[in-house]
Amino acid sequence: MAYRDYEAVIGLEVHCQLLTEAKAFSPDSAAFGAAPNHHIDPISLGHPGTLPVLNEQVVEYTIRIGLATHCDIAARSDLARKHYFYPDLPKGYQISQYETPICADGYVEIVMDDASGDGAPTIKRIGLTRIHIEEDAGKSVHDQDPTATLLDFNRCGVPLIEIVSEPDLRSAREAYLYMQKIRQIVRWLGICDGNMEQGSLRCDANVSVRKRGQTALGTKAEVKNMNSFRNVERAVQYEIDRQIALVERGEDVVQETRLWDADQGETRPMRSKEEAHDYRYFPDPDLVPIVVTDETREAIRATLPELPEARQERFVDALGLPPYDAGVLTEERGIADYFEHSLNALHAKQPSGDLQTHAKAVSNFVMGDVRRVLNEQALAIETFPIDPERLAGLIQLRLEDQINSSAAQQIFDAMLTDERAPNAIAEAENLLQVSDTGALLPVVAQVLADSEKQVQMYLSGKESIVGYFIGQVMRRFDGSPDPKLVRQLLQEELEKLRA
Ligand code: ADP
Ligand code: MG
């Protein structure tokens, strides 16, 4: 059988660290980056006699993402103890949810690459089995002392959500797009910073293969330890290829957990099913069930921002943007806000202007120059030095032909470090296009007087030579003349000469 006779089946388990101030069950700080063992109250460490109390913000954040991903929100759900031994888990169990997750039966949509090339995006729905609340464990530090493993308990009790997908993904690329989608949503909702490199967004990939047309699922392997989006894609692809090669050789896929090694570009066995944990889950007797009334749920729904898909649709329908632009502008909520604030500021400056023209002009700037600088300087849009009002001022100068496109570029670059308004910079740098006929005419006349030969050529029918005169005027004039006006004046003067 050939490679294409197989189909990959993938389901992801994604952990997101919630951006709450306090930990999940104690008032201790959940902030990242403190010196080791500085956020370790007795509850986080599970000292005997302490009692956990659930942080309400954790529940609210989880309901937010549950609603944003079309989940059912359980009216009542339990927190459960999941027992296992690990040096960085001092309690000997992790508080999680088991039989009754707070959110279930949702979905997200991923936009598939345009394989056919006809520009029509294919949208695929990926089911979410559940989203539940749990707490993080601490961290074992192996690389500081060659003779010891050090323990940092700061992360103990930091709130997480686990998002479990249905086995709906069919390729490494889809797994990548799904992860990007999850990051977009959690960042959009402001509940997680979505940083895979720092581990605030993590993913375990369950991968199996089967013959095309077969409906039963194959045996899966679970792959861990991918710390970037690119590595999720690479690890899943490696695992698909490995499993197909196994089956082709007539061997069986073993149910096991495997570790991704990014340097070697391969997955390696970590533990097999025989060593699998028996977690002995049971509802935590120290914690009351989570009760979510209809009123609470609907109150949280009312606070949800306009979600990325809805915003993208509005940018296309109301602002006439191409779907591609709308997609790029809504990848991040901060960018979408920046775009809209800039557009509103521009439209306020030119209320009679065409909104769709304005939208496209702002979109070009944001998709191009603004995003380029954000990437180059590793900046967040929230700290971008040009605020929407100033960007709108710059675009206005360009739309009104007060500056040419290279001047616009030059002023934009200057605005990154110069706080002045764009027209102040344009004036100071002599970049305003001169549209003053009185100032231009003497130079036009002088150029024609100095170019007898070329004038004769023009008069005898070689009208394309007007480009030569324009070049001369632009060069000799002290400032930036509006080239359209220069052409018009030259043509008028030359026609006078003909008559
Ligand atoms: P486990 O009991 O091993 O934790 P679950 O049924 O809870 O497995 O599923 C965990 C994740 O693995 C889910 O995202 C699910 O979609 C995915 N999954 C389950 N079975 C398969 C399979 N045969 N192939 C690929 N993914 C699978
Ligand atoms: Mg499971």
Side-chain angles (χ1 to χ4, degrees):
M1 279 184 55
Y3 191 88
R4 64 174 178 281
D5 297 321
Y6 292 90
E7 175 177 63
V9 175
I10 303 139
L12 297 188
E13 294 163 290
V14 176
H15 286 93
C16 310
Q17 227 172 63
L18 297 180
L19 285 170
T20 56
E21 275 161 51
K23 290 188 175 180
F25 302 104
S26 77
D28 210 0
S29 166
F32 176 81
N37 297 313
H38 278 58
H39 295 164
I40 46 165
D41 65 12
I43 297 178
S44 306
L45 295 179
H47 285 192
T50 58
L51 283 174
V53 177
L54 178 57
N55 178 348
E56 224 179 290
Q57 207 176 17
V58 170
V59 178
E60 187 196 321
Y61 281 10
T62 311
I63 294 174
R64 274 174 157 256
I65 185 166
L67 292 172
T69 55
H70 317 277
C71 286
D72 299 330
I73 309 297
R76 187 190 158 105
S77 62
D78 291 318
L79 290 154
R81 291 186 180 182
K82 176 181 182 180
H83 298 83
Y84 56 101
F85 172 80
Y86 215 72
D88 55 29
L89 185 77
K91 288 205 301 287
Y93 62 87
Q94 178 189 22
I95 304 175
S96 180
Q97 295 196 284
Y98 188 52
E99 281 172 340
T100 53
I102 185 164
C103 311
D105 288 330
Y107 66 87
V108 297
E109 290 176 341
I110 57 174
V111 182
M112 306 291 292
D113 302 314
D114 177 23
S116 59
D118 61 4
T122 312
I123 290 171
K124 178 168 173 177
R125 221 173 243 205
I126 309 299
L128 301 186
T129 316
R130 56 190 281 160
I131 303 176
H132 66 251
I133 293 170
E134 57 187 33
E135 60 176 342
D136 212 343
K139 221 163 75 179
S140 299
V141 181
H142 306 289
D143 56 4
Q144 292 213 348
D145 178 343
T147 66
T149 288
L150 305 177
L151 293 168
D152 176 3
F153 293 118
N154 281 348
R155 217 173 57 183
C156 283
V158 165
L160 302 175
I161 50 170
E162 177 172 345
I163 306 170
V164 181
S165 87
E166 289 289 297
D168 286 347
L169 300 157
R170 290 290 174 271
S171 68
R173 185 68 192 159
E174 287 186 21
Y176 173 89
L177 293 170
Y178 172 82
M179 285 302 291
Q180 294 269 328
K181 189 60 172 181
I182 295 295
R183 177 176 64 169
Q184 180 197 33
I185 296 172
V186 295
R187 288 168 55 100
W188 195 276
L189 296 172
I191 64 171
C192 168
D193 66 22
N195 190 327
M196 277 201 89
E197 286 76 12
Q198 283 180 6
S200 44
L201 180 65
R202 296 169 234 159
C203 151
D204 301 336
N206 298 271
V207 180
S208 64
V209 298
R210 64 184 172 192
K211 307 236 161 82
R212 262 181 212 288
Q214 178 185 320
T215 46
L217 292 174
T219 303
K220 71 176 160 73
E222 182 178 352
V223 187
K224 290 180 177 293
N225 200 36
M226 292 83 78
N227 65 351
S228 72
F229 293 89
R230 176 84 189 97
N231 274 317
V232 172
E233 188 170 8
R234 288 175 69 206
V236 170
Q237 189 60 55
Y238 177 90
E239 193 51 29
I240 293 170
D241 294 346
R242 186 187 73 86
Q243 293 185 11
I244 291 177
L246 271 182
V247 179
E248 280 287 276
R249 286 201 302 271
E251 295 173 36
D252 290 330
V253 174
V254 182
Q255 178 156 348
E256 62 186 354
T257 303
R258 301 176 67 90
L259 278 189
W260 168 245
D261 179 335
D263 294 328
Q264 299 299 314
E266 63 182 25
T267 64
R268 282 198 296 272
M270 182 175 113
R271 61 171 177 254
S272 69
K273 201 187 177 189
E274 280 70 24
E275 303 160 50
H277 296 291
D278 179 358
Y279 296 118
R280 294 184 179 273
Y281 281 101
F282 63 78
D284 192 315
D286 287 344
L287 286 153
V288 293
I290 303 171
V291 173
V292 183
T293 62
D294 292 354
E295 294 75 46
T296 305
R297 186 190 64 230
E298 292 314 310
I300 294 172
R301 195 194 303 276
T303 68
L304 288 184
E306 184 183 24
L307 295 172
E309 288 83 6
R311 204 155 184 194
Q312 183 176 0
E313 216 173 289
R314 181 165 61 77
F315 284 1
V316 172
D317 294 346
L319 302 178
L321 285 181
Y324 176 78
D325 288 40
V328 172
L329 293 173
T330 53
E331 269 166 21
E332 234 185 87
R333 187 166 157 205
I335 299 271
D337 288 345
Y338 181 87
F339 162 77
E340 283 209 281
H341 291 149
S342 303
L343 175 58
N344 294 341
L346 176 62
H347 205 62
K349 291 175 193 295
Q350 294 187 323
S352 59
D354 173 44
L355 183 63
Q356 302 206 346
T357 307
H358 285 165
K360 185 58 185 155
V362 176
S363 166
N364 288 346
F365 249 103
V366 175
M367 291 212 310
D369 288 302
V370 174
R371 283 171 73 244
R372 174 180 54 79
V373 173
L374 294 178
N375 278 332
E376 283 171 3
Q377 305 188 8
L379 284 179
I381 187 69
E382 289 72 21
T383 57
F384 188 63
I386 304 176
D387 64 29
E389 176 63 29
R390 288 206 307 153
L391 184 77
L394 175 62
I395 297 172
Q396 180 188 18
L397 290 178
R398 180 72 193 107
L399 288 179
E400 291 175 355
D401 265 328
Q402 296 193 59
I403 54 174
N404 62 31
S405 64
S406 79
Q409 189 65 56
Q410 202 178 324
I411 296 168
F412 178 85
D413 291 342
M415 285 163 78
L416 294 170
T417 50
D418 185 333
E419 288 178 2
R420 284 177 297 173
N423 54 343
I425 297 175
E427 248 167 65
E429 301 294 322
N430 213 4
L431 292 169
L432 286 176
Q433 301 205 102
V434 177
S435 314
D436 174 357
T437 310
L440 288 171
L441 262 182
V443 183
V444 167
Q446 192 61 47
V447 165
L448 294 181
D450 293 348
S451 319
E452 223 173 291
K453 207 176 85 199
Q454 288 83 355
V455 171
Q456 282 313 318
M457 290 166 75
Y458 179 90
L459 295 178
S460 57
K462 192 172 185 319
E463 299 191 351
S464 61
I465 198 136
V466 75
Y468 167 80
F469 300 125
I470 295 175
Q472 287 294 312
V473 174
M474 303 294 281
R475 196 160 316 144
R476 290 197 202 178
F477 191 84
D478 180 25
S480 317
D482 174 356
K484 279 183 238 153
L485 180 59
V486 171
R487 173 185 291 273
Q488 184 199 328
L489 293 175
L490 278 163
Q491 276 163 346
E492 284 168 15
E493 291 306 301
L494 285 161
E495 289 312 315
K496 276 187 208 158
L497 288 176
R498 194 197 297 283

